[in-house]
Amino acid sequence: MVCPTPTSELLFNSIVLGLFAEGKIPPGSVVDAGANSGEWACMYAEAQPSRPVHAIDPLEVNIKSISRKFKPLFPNIRARVGGLGDETVTIVPPSRAANARVGNAASLESHRMGTVWRDESPAPATAFTMLRLDDLFANETLGFAHLDVEGGELAALRGGARVIQRDRRAVPVLTVELHVHQDPAYTHELLSFLKSLQYTVLLVEEVCGDRYDCRNLLALPKGSGAHFHTSQVMRVAAASERLFAVNSSNILTHAFPIPCTRGGPCCHTDANHCCTHRCVSAWMKTSMSRWDARNSSSRDPRLFTRLEWLSAITSLKVLFGH
């Protein structure tokens, strides 16, 4: 490979690249929203050189880096400064928000994206424009989109609903990065909206960020089961218990629900500062010391993060210290 191999989310990337290689992704362009330093956009561009790959990020320094490092290698990369949302609006960083004209711009804090801006992600230093997928793809076909937009995934989907539903014969495959337990109401709303768009959602059982409840969701067009059933990469992931069908009713039983639910052992205070690697690892180590393999499943629950397996380690009463 010419592109640098991303060092994280190896399972997720293997699934996506496998679907591309198997011809399971419908025709059309690729969107990498929240492109960061561009490794994923480069990976998509190298794997699918005939598809335009739109790398979108609110940090100008990231877009300049992508344009300098990767676009000369793969001319199909289209890099632009911006974010994705459900309205076209200029987002002004905190240092400049006081001078923003009401109606023409919004502060990072006041905008819905800003209310959940994650601490591990640097806030943009300059103003940028929130874009709508419906506008970007008014005259272009969308085949695949990866949304890692810092809590703005729902707004991005709402801003692309028309394009997503435009042609039911070639509905794009979507992937969304989500902190499952950070805001349960938001998680429920996101899954419900994907259902309204006629998607079946699969959770990739792999940590994808600093919070240990970060998971990638793979959204496949409803009714396309036969098409994806023949995918070898999907079969391997499912057989390895790393791919699970989720919906608004059961998703909160995944991604370390006991330690990472608000009020749990690793989330006593602000939901934005919990579920850390250090705390969850320590919690799991302590819990494992209480687990009696002779009286539980033969499979090692350290490999699982779902409620049904975590409950096999020890009881809720012990975990919460009551």
Side-chain angles (χ1 to χ4, degrees):
M1 290 182 64
V2 175
C3 295
T5 302
T7 57
S8 62
E9 302 174 47
L10 303 181
L11 175 59
F12 168 73
N13 290 332
S14 296
I15 291 173
V16 171
L17 291 181
L19 292 176
F20 273 125
E22 293 174 341
K24 300 299 184 182
I25 305 295
S29 300
V30 172
V31 167
D32 181 19
N36 205 295
S37 53
E39 283 84 357
W40 272 258
C42 185
M43 178 180 68
Y44 298 143
E46 183 174 12
Q48 297 288 295
S50 63
R51 298 179 189 250
V53 175
H54 297 269
I56 303 172
D57 196 89
L59 294 180
E60 186 176 8
V61 64
N62 285 343
I63 295 303
K64 287 182 177 179
S65 176
I66 293 170
S67 298
R68 183 182 68 255
K69 292 167 56 179
F70 301 133
K71 189 172 175 57
L73 299 174
F74 301 101
N76 55 323
I77 292 179
R78 315 277 193 266
R80 66 182 299 169
V81 177
L84 290 183
D86 57 2
E87 59 182 338
T88 301
V89 61
T90 299
I91 302 298
V92 181
S95 61
R96 296 175 55 192
N99 298 321
R101 289 180 296 167
V102 176
N104 294 336
S107 71
L108 189 63
E109 294 95 334
S110 66
H111 193 267
R112 71 200 64 190
M113 181 178 175
T115 60
V116 289
W117 194 269
R118 295 170 185 158
D119 289 344
E120 67 264 26
S121 304
T126 58
F128 65 94
T129 301
M130 295 293 290
L131 309 164
R132 298 168 70 246
L133 280 172
D134 281 345
D135 298 329
L136 290 174
F137 287 88
N139 300 303
E140 186 176 350
T141 301
L142 177 63
F144 173 84
H146 176 57
L147 306 179
D148 178 11
V149 289
E150 307 302 338
E153 292 80 11
L154 181 57
L157 290 170
R158 286 173 173 157
R162 186 172 67 246
V163 162
I164 291 170
Q165 297 178 301
R166 183 170 54 194
D167 187 354
R168 299 309 303 176
R169 295 169 299 177
V171 181
V173 170
L174 308 175
T175 59
V176 176
E177 192 169 296
L178 174 68
H179 289 174
V180 175
H181 301 288
Q182 185 174 32
D183 184 344
Y186 176 84
T187 296
H188 183 276
E189 191 174 2
L190 176 65
L191 270 291
S192 296
F193 190 71
L194 283 168
K195 180 180 179 180
S196 75
L197 293 177
Q198 300 298 304
Y199 277 99
T200 296
V201 182
L202 304 173
L203 179 144
V204 180
E205 184 46 78
E206 175 187 45
V207 177
C208 62
D210 289 345
R211 280 183 58 115
Y212 248 39
D213 64 344
C214 180
R215 296 292 184 276
N216 279 296
L217 304 181
L218 174 62
L220 305 177
K222 190 168 292 185
S224 61
H227 177 66
F228 288 98
H229 181 70
T230 57
S231 166
Q232 294 304 309
V233 68
M234 295 282 282
R235 287 189 171 197
V236 169
S240 303
E241 297 192 88
R242 290 295 181 266
L243 202 59
F244 299 93
V246 293
N247 53 46
S248 59
S249 299
N250 69 9
I251 189 170
L252 294 179
T253 65
H254 292 262
F256 291 112
I258 295 174
C260 293
T261 298
R262 191 171 302 183
C266 293
C267 197
H268 289 300
T269 55
D270 184 0
N272 292 317
H273 300 87
C274 66
C275 198
T276 63
H277 166 79
R278 182 175 182 178
C279 182
V280 174
S281 296
W283 172 85
M284 182 64 84
K285 183 178 180 180
T286 300
S287 300
M288 280 300 300
S289 68
R290 302 188 179 113
W291 178 60
D292 185 348
R294 293 170 298 179
N295 298 321
S296 300
S297 168
S298 60
R299 286 187 285 184
D300 189 339
R302 285 176 296 184
L303 302 176
F304 299 88
T305 73
R306 307 192 303 283
L307 183 60
E308 61 186 279
W309 286 101
L310 296 174
S311 297
I313 301 173
T314 185
S315 68
L316 287 171
K317 182 177 180 180
V318 172
L319 289 172
F320 285 107
H322 297 312

